Each structure stands twice: as structure tokens, then as C-alpha cells.
Amino acid sequence: GAAQVLAVTAILLTFQILVRCIQPWSSTFSNGFDGALSAFVIFLLICVAMSGNFEESDGVIRTASLICFIFCVSGMILGIGFNSHRFLRPGASWEYFICHHKADAGGQARYIQLTLVQMTGKGCFIDSDHLANLDTLFDIVRSKIRYLIVYLTIDTLKRPWCA
């Protein structure tokens, strides 16, 4: 009955919160799509629980379903608003990105970064300074960098993030 549907909803909601914290997919879009799809399934389960035939003894289940429904709709509205704001708001951008092999050219890349910033006054991205999540590196280079500087050493093109 409705109690079982609410129990499954609670389990799915718990796992959804865990997935949102871990972000297991390699791209932001995939994590967002997974979250939206899971939220839709949870929303459907709550709607099914609310549409069932309730007896007087199931008033607690009706109240719990209504509270879950309100939280689910509120969460979806807040999530859409937050992601729209994040998508439409221009993020930080850098004039330069220095692609390098850290072991071979970390010091030289840092010197180039400091020199570029001093000479141009523009931002220069080096992954060890500005990267919180390595999975977003390709997106940053594709959309937030104006000039790509590749510091070639013998191992630069052997790295999956540099090749």
C-alpha cells in the first residue's frame, strides 16, 4: 500500500542525497540529469502514494505523503532555480591556460604563469591552483580559456589530460 511506496521513496531519497554528494558521473550534465531523473521517479512515487484510497487509519500516511510532496516540489523548484542561475551566470574565466606535465615542467609552468600575470595583468589557469575537480578540466579548457599554452616535454602528450 501507500506505506510501502513511502518507504521506497524514503530509500530512494536517501540514495539520491548520497549520489548528489558523491557526484559519480564524469560530467556535470550527467550528474544533473541523473539527479533530475531520480527526482522525477521520487515525485511519481509520492504522487502514487497520495492517489491511493486511504482509510481513516491512514491519515498519518496521507500527511506524510503530503509533506514529502511539498518537499519534493520545493526541492525541484529550488534545484531548477539554482542550476539556471549557475548556468546563466558567467563563471570565472582566464586569459591563459598552461598545459604541462607537472613532474617535468611544474616549475617552468609556474614561472610562465607568474610572468604572464605580471606582464599582462590577466588571469592564468594552472590546474594545481584553480582546479577543485579534475573531471571539469575539459569543460574549463573548452569554455573558459582564451589562449591555450602547451609546454611540451617528453611526457606531456602521454598524460590523458594533456593529449
Side-chain angles (χ1 to χ4, degrees):
Q4 289 86 3
V5 172
L6 284 177
V8 169
T9 302
I11 291 169
L12 285 175
L13 190 58
T14 303
F15 280 109
Q16 179 59 26
I17 292 169
L18 181 65
V19 165
R20 291 302 302 161
C21 291
I22 295 173
Q23 301 218 351
W25 306 110
S26 61
S27 72
T28 305
F29 175 78
S30 299
N31 285 313
F33 185 74
D34 180 38
L37 193 60
S38 297
F40 181 71
V41 169
I42 291 169
F43 180 74
L44 283 178
L45 282 172
I46 292 171
C47 288
V48 166
M50 289 180 63
S51 67
N53 292 331
F54 293 102
E55 298 174 10
E56 289 299 320
S57 63
D58 290 336
V60 174
I61 294 174
R62 179 185 293 257
T63 305
S65 297
L66 184 60
I67 290 170
C68 288
F69 179 78
I70 290 169
F71 277 121
C72 188
V73 169
S74 300
M76 287 176 14
I77 291 170
L78 288 173
I80 289 170
F82 175 74
N83 286 324
S84 298
H85 174 69
R86 204 172 81 190
F87 178 74
L88 296 174
R89 181 190 78 209
S93 61
W94 292 270
E95 192 76 8
Y96 307 101
F97 174 80
I98 301 175
C99 177
H100 65 287
H101 184 259
K102 189 182 267 186
D104 291 344
Q108 293 91 342
R110 174 73 65 202
Y111 177 73
I112 292 170
Q113 177 199 28
L114 295 173
T115 304
L116 280 171
V117 169
Q118 184 180 24
M119 291 176 64
T120 65
K122 307 279 184 175
C124 184
F125 185 98
I126 290 186
D127 55 359
S128 57
D129 289 346
H130 305 290
L131 189 62
N133 183 358
L134 193 58
D135 294 332
T136 61
L137 180 63
F138 294 121
D139 185 47
I140 290 170
V141 171
R142 178 179 48 85
S143 61
K144 298 183 187 277
I145 303 295
R146 186 160 184 191
Y147 297 107
L148 175 66
I149 300 169
V150 180
Y151 193 102
L152 285 176
T153 60
I154 196 162
D155 291 323
T156 302
L157 296 179
K158 293 178 183 176
R159 305 287 297 166
W161 298 280
C162 296

